[in-house]
Amino acid sequence: VTAAVSSETPKQGEQVILTSVATDNLGIDSYEWRQVSGPSVALANSNSNVASFTAPNTVETLSFRLTVTDADGLTDTTDVSVDVTGIAPVAVATVSNSAPLQGETVTLDGSPSTDNLIVVSYAWRQIIISEGTQVALSDSSLAAPTFTAPNTVETLSFELTVTDADGLTDTTDVSVDVT
């Protein structure tokens, strides 16, 4: 008996199909798919040659055992493993005023960033291009830190990195043209 899986590394929330190929000269009487490790999932059609489940929202390995019984009551088993992978967040950075006057307060905003679970951290940093002015962010770990536009006409660039509960990250940047 052999078993196959539609994806050995499905993403969280993805449908996974377990398939068996079993042959016997007298025919197959029954199939039994059983989960043997990992966070519990609901197996659909577990008494069929094709079973399925939805990958859980955790990054873990799940193992399944297939037992096939023939018309004589003889059995054969095989195991298959699935390594569930996470879905990276999507970093989105906006700015309250993309063309502030010198001395105005500007708010950077990463709160539109999304994830299938939760964004657990924000990390902002200014990208200094050549001789640009360094500004002080109110708190670079906030979703929406502020800074005061410098007393020079220039473009300031900032990078946002967001991290989700699985430790996966995404990065984007945003610019501000001080006038």
Side-chain angles (χ1 to χ4, degrees), residues 94-117:
T94 62
V95 61
S96 62
N97 184 353
S98 60
L101 297 175
Q102 298 172 20
E104 283 187 340
T105 298
V106 179
T107 301
L108 303 173
D109 191 0
S111 65
S113 300
T114 60
D115 186 62
N116 69 313
L117 299 175

Side-chain angles (χ1 to χ4, degrees), residues 53 66 82:
F53 67 93
L66 169 64
V82 175

Side-chain angles (χ1 to χ4, degrees), residues 14-25:
E14 192 173 281
Q15 185 75 7
V16 181
I17 299 171
L18 304 171
T19 306
S20 166
V21 176
T23 58
D24 184 80
N25 62 335

Side-chain angles (χ1 to χ4, degrees), residues 16-89:
V16 181
I17 299 171
L18 304 171
T19 306
S20 166
V21 176
T23 58
D24 184 80
N25 62 335
L26 297 176
I28 302 299
D29 256 8
S30 68
Y31 297 86
E32 180 192 4
W33 290 96
R34 187 171 50 92
Q35 185 175 355
V36 292
S37 70
S40 182
V41 297
L43 271 175
N45 301 314
S46 62
N47 293 320
S48 166
N49 67 321
V50 178
S52 64
F53 67 93
T54 301
N57 282 331
T58 58
V59 176
E60 293 199 43
T61 299
L62 288 74
S63 295
F64 300 88
R65 177 163 295 136
L66 169 64
T67 302
V68 177
T69 306
D70 71 7
D72 286 333
L74 300 173
T75 62
D76 194 8
T77 62
T78 190
D79 292 341
V80 64
S81 292
V82 175
D83 295 317
V84 179
T85 60
I87 299 172

